[in-house]
Amino acid sequence: MDCSKHFWDKVIGQDGVVRALQHSLQTDSLTHAYLFVGARGLGKINAARAVATQLMCADRGCGTCAICTQLENNTHPDFQILEPEGAGGYLVGQIRELNYQVQLAPARASRKIFVIRDVDLFNVSAANAFLKTLEEPTDSTIFILLSTSLEAVLATIRSRCQIYRFSPLSPQRAREVLSAKTGINGQRADIALAANGYIVAAARDYLNSPKQQESRQVVIRTFRDLQTADDLDVLRMAREVLRSALDSVEEMRAVMDAEFIERKELLEASALKQLERYNERRLSSFETRQTMMVLTVFSTLLADCLRIVADNNSETEDADMINIDAVDMLRQACVGAALNPAKLAHGQECIAIARRRLASNVAIELLVQALLFDLREVIECPQG
């Protein structure tokens, strides 16, 4: 049995990437800089950790030794994850500190691995501060850069990396992987995947989270009630949608706090600090993901309305619907609002704008309020 299987299994549905990286590891042909590109939730950080465990663990990623535990908790001194500290991206001072760390010898392993998230948020000054180190690293250094978009990464950085693309799974492939991981099929699986953009890891979390499932129900009720809502109703609904999303975040915080307490006695003070910072980043990322789920559910509701409208509200098979548990409500909404493809396309564009704003770190409450006002115009019932 391959001892590294424990970690590679977390890189879900990226078989080509996994094979290529494992081949490089087995033939000792790793390069010094990699760029992993793909949407959040496709396993980029897990792939980076799998590379690290196979390089640092004596059993090439057993998953149970102290080194593997440290790598999984992000507390190993030779495995560092960087995130932008500035409001608009990476700070020059942050990169200078990275450059200093690169020059230090590994503390325990033979290699040091630096994982740099959101490398597309390097501005020109930060990139210039990093380029010499990227071009001339120490022999013991490996950089793994992460980005959601290849085009957004500065060409000067992009050209110096070996690029691996993490591709979204097709709905059918996502269903197969989710079924293999959880044993869940059918309507429950389809709803979980659709609500999370067919990201298997996120869908699996959703299936294990009553709070996330309730958050989706709040979005469905909000969509229904927007048709007849006044301005005060819309503001109240925005608060309810956000509160339900944040309930999921608090549920996740409770899980992480329990894990932290369980590991507290096993970790040194410096490692505990690292773990605390890592958990805070995870929570922040999870909050963004929950807001993205809200936007995705609204988008799937509009997509279902388009199916109904295209089939004149009568011939659409329930099995063709995404939100199969909300079919009756959606049929009524389409009739009451006199919806047409042009209005529904406008609603999808409003959601696309909200997604871009979310990526730009706008205030989430204002984003949700603006979106609900926009969607009300799309689906509100005509007066008179």
Side-chain angles (χ1 to χ4, degrees):
M1 176 180 173
D2 184 354
C3 292
S4 65
K5 183 175 174 58
H6 170 81
F7 291 96
W8 289 111
D9 270 358
K10 297 182 180 182
V11 188
I12 298 171
Q14 306 296 326
D15 298 344
V17 170
V18 169
R19 281 195 300 270
L21 287 171
Q22 287 182 330
H23 176 75
S24 295
L25 286 158
Q26 290 161 3
T27 58
D28 196 24
S29 57
L30 289 171
T31 187
H32 75 280
Y34 293 88
L35 175 57
F36 292 173
V37 180
R40 294 183 184 279
L42 292 179
K44 300 191 298 295
I45 191 68
N46 284 329
R49 190 176 287 109
V51 169
T53 55
Q54 208 159 337
L55 285 172
M56 297 179 182
C57 169
D59 289 325
R60 298 180 68 78
C62 66
T64 58
C65 69
I67 289 174
C68 285
T69 301
Q70 288 174 335
L71 288 167
E72 190 156 29
N73 294 337
N74 291 337
T75 56
H76 194 288
D78 297 320
F79 180 77
Q80 296 187 34
I81 298 178
L82 280 77
E83 300 200 37
E85 294 179 356
Y90 281 92
L91 304 174
V92 174
Q94 188 179 1
I95 302 307
R96 287 174 180 157
E97 174 61 23
L98 166 64
N99 293 342
Y100 170 74
Q101 292 292 332
V102 168
Q103 300 307 313
L104 301 177
R108 296 178 187 170
S110 61
R111 310 248 190 144
K112 298 179 71 168
I113 295 179
F114 295 89
V115 180
I116 305 178
R117 288 182 180 267
D118 301 315
V119 72
D120 45 294
L121 296 182
F122 270 77
N123 58 33
V124 175
S125 297
N128 287 339
F130 180 54
L131 275 179
K132 184 173 176 57
T133 297
L134 184 61
E135 291 171 340
E136 302 175 8
T138 64
D139 292 339
S140 60
T141 300
I142 293 176
F143 294 109
I144 301 179
L145 315 182
L146 313 183
S147 177
T148 57
S149 167
L150 181 62
E151 293 72 22
V153 179
L154 291 171
T156 49
I157 292 177
R158 193 166 69 221
S159 63
R160 290 162 173 81
C161 298
Q162 187 168 322
I163 298 169
Y164 285 86
R165 295 177 182 271
F166 287 64
S167 302
L169 304 188
S170 68
Q172 180 57 38
R173 177 64 176 138
R175 290 186 192 101
E176 292 170 359
V177 174
L178 184 64
S179 175
K181 296 291 181 184
T182 66
I184 296 174
N185 299 285
Q187 180 178 322
R188 282 186 67 206
D190 287 346
I191 286 173
L193 287 164
N196 290 280
Y198 294 91
I199 303 296
V200 173
R204 186 168 54 182
D205 288 346
Y206 172 94
L207 288 167
N208 291 324
S209 169
K211 294 294 185 182
Q212 290 186 51
Q213 294 170 49
E214 174 57 25
S215 179
R216 174 179 171 272
Q217 291 299 324
V218 170
V219 172
I220 291 173
R221 291 195 294 269
T222 297
F223 188 86
R224 176 197 66 195
D225 296 341
L226 270 176
Q227 287 196 306
T228 55
D230 61 25
D231 288 357
L232 288 177
D233 288 333
V234 173
L235 294 175
R236 174 183 53 78
M237 290 174 182
R239 288 193 297 271
E240 290 176 355
V241 167
L242 277 175
R243 184 166 57 246
S244 69
L246 290 177
D247 282 348
S248 301
V249 177
E250 290 307 308
E251 181 184 52
M252 175 62 77
R253 185 188 295 277
V255 171
M256 289 167 55
D257 286 347
E259 291 176 353
F260 183 82
I261 291 171
E262 183 179 333
R263 297 170 179 168
K264 191 172 182 179
E265 301 301 321
L266 304 175
L267 298 175
E268 300 173 357
S270 59
L272 283 173
K273 283 294 182 184
Q274 282 182 263
L275 184 56
E276 284 179 330
R277 289 195 294 269
Y278 172 61
N279 283 347
E280 285 304 317
R281 291 195 299 268
R282 282 177 63 197
L283 274 178
S284 177
S285 176
F286 184 74
E287 182 176 349
T288 300
R289 192 174 92 188
Q290 291 309 108
T291 307
M292 190 64 73
M293 188 188 80
V294 166
L295 303 183
T296 299
V297 174
F298 276 125
S299 180
T300 64
L301 291 167
L302 290 178
D304 280 339
C305 286
L306 181 59
R307 288 181 175 84
I308 293 169
V309 169
D311 290 334
N312 297 315
N313 202 39
S314 58
E315 299 177 5
T316 302
E317 295 288 339
D318 286 358
D320 295 332
M321 302 287 279
I322 300 170
N323 299 282
I324 197 167
D325 54 341
V327 171
D328 291 341
M329 178 275 288
L330 291 168
R331 291 191 190 282
Q332 293 173 8
C334 289
V335 172
L339 289 174
N340 59 61
K343 290 175 72 174
L344 292 167
H346 174 66
Q348 294 287 18
E349 178 56 27
C350 292
I351 293 171
I353 290 170
R355 285 196 177 103
R356 291 194 291 270
R357 288 174 175 167
L358 182 61
S360 301
N361 295 320
V362 300
I364 292 178
E365 184 174 2
L366 295 178
L367 182 150
V368 174
Q369 289 175 355
L371 176 62
L372 293 192
F373 278 113
D374 288 337
L375 291 181
R376 184 181 63 173
E377 290 185 13
V378 172
I379 66 172
E380 66 184 344
C381 295
Q383 299 296 314

